[in-house]
């Protein structure tokens, strides 16, 4: 969904030279929804289920921030995500095409979710570090029926160490 020239240069978690780089900004190949005032960043390779999981979260009350490309900006001790202008309000839905949906222009990021990996049964606490700030991070299989519930639980529950 990103313009081809930008998509070719986007890498998960890497700075993108010449696209959205600056002292406190980076462009990620990621989707993001806002749930309970927290931005949830969905990270993973193409085909890992980012957009499909975003659709399910939106169906359950979340709002789209961005699909397939996320501008992340550091403001003080927080990270905020927004959509690149060219894809703002657009969501790719496999089998339906590109749809225009209600969107949040920006969201304070609160959780990173890595998709496309086999999650551990009892994982150690993990973080996703970006622009000098660490977000809590979980790993999920986006295709499991419990994926949305696990994201909601990760946002509100206290983990027992």
């Amino acid at each position: 969904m990103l313009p081809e020239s930008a998509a070719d240069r986007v890498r998960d978690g890497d700075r993108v030279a010449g696209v959205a780089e600056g002292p406190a900004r980076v462009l990620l190949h990621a989707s993001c929804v806002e749930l309970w005032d927290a931005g949830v960043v969905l990270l993973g390779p193409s085909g890992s289920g980012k957009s499909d999981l975003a659709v399910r979260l939106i169906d359950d009350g979340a709002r789209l921030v961005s699909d397939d490309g996320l501008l992340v900006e550091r403001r003080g001790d927080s990270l905020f995500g927004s959509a690149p202008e060219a894809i703002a309000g657009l969501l790719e839905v496999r089998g339906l095409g590109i749809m225009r949906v209600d969107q949040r222009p920006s969201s304070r990021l609160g959780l990173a979710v890595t998709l496309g990996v086999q999650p551990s049964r009892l994982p150690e606490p993990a973080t996703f570090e970006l622009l000098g700030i660490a977000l809590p991070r979980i790993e999920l299989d986006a295709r499991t029926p419990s994926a949305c519930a696990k994201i909601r639980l990760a946002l509100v529950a206290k983990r027992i160490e």
Side-chain angles (χ1 to χ4, degrees), residues 107-161:
S107 181
R108 183 177 181 182
L109 304 182
L111 178 67
V113 181
T114 303
L115 306 174
V117 295
Q118 183 62 38
S120 301
R121 183 171 174 218
L122 295 171
E124 294 293 321
T127 59
F128 177 70
E129 294 191 26
L130 189 63
L131 301 172
I133 296 177
L135 294 176
R137 182 179 61 84
I138 61 172
E139 295 179 343
L140 290 179
D141 178 348
R143 292 168 180 84
T144 61
S146 62
C148 293
K150 288 177 181 176
I151 288 171
R152 289 190 303 273
L153 197 57
L155 284 172
V156 299
K158 179 166 175 58
R159 176 186 220 132
I160 297 174
E161 304 297 329

Side-chain angles (χ1 to χ4, degrees), residues 19-31:
V19 177
E21 189 173 29
R25 281 180 64 154
V26 67
L27 176 67
L28 299 179
H29 177 212
S31 294

Side-chain angles (χ1 to χ4, degrees), residues 52-123:
D52 185 71
L53 184 53
V55 166
R56 288 186 281 143
L57 287 163
I58 290 166
D59 189 52
D60 201 28
R63 290 193 51 204
L64 178 69
V65 176
S66 188
D67 182 40
D68 207 36
L70 181 66
L71 284 171
V72 179
E73 179 179 7
R74 180 179 178 153
R75 297 183 204 157
D77 290 335
S78 298
L79 295 174
F80 287 81
S82 62
E85 188 176 328
I87 61 171
L90 301 179
L91 177 65
E92 183 180 345
V93 182
R94 195 171 301 263
L96 293 179
I98 298 173
M99 313 294 288
R100 183 164 299 284
V101 298
D102 187 33
Q103 139 207 53
R104 297 280 300 153
S106 177
S107 181
R108 183 177 181 182
L109 304 182
L111 178 67
V113 181
T114 303
L115 306 174
V117 295
Q118 183 62 38
S120 301
R121 183 171 174 218
L122 295 171

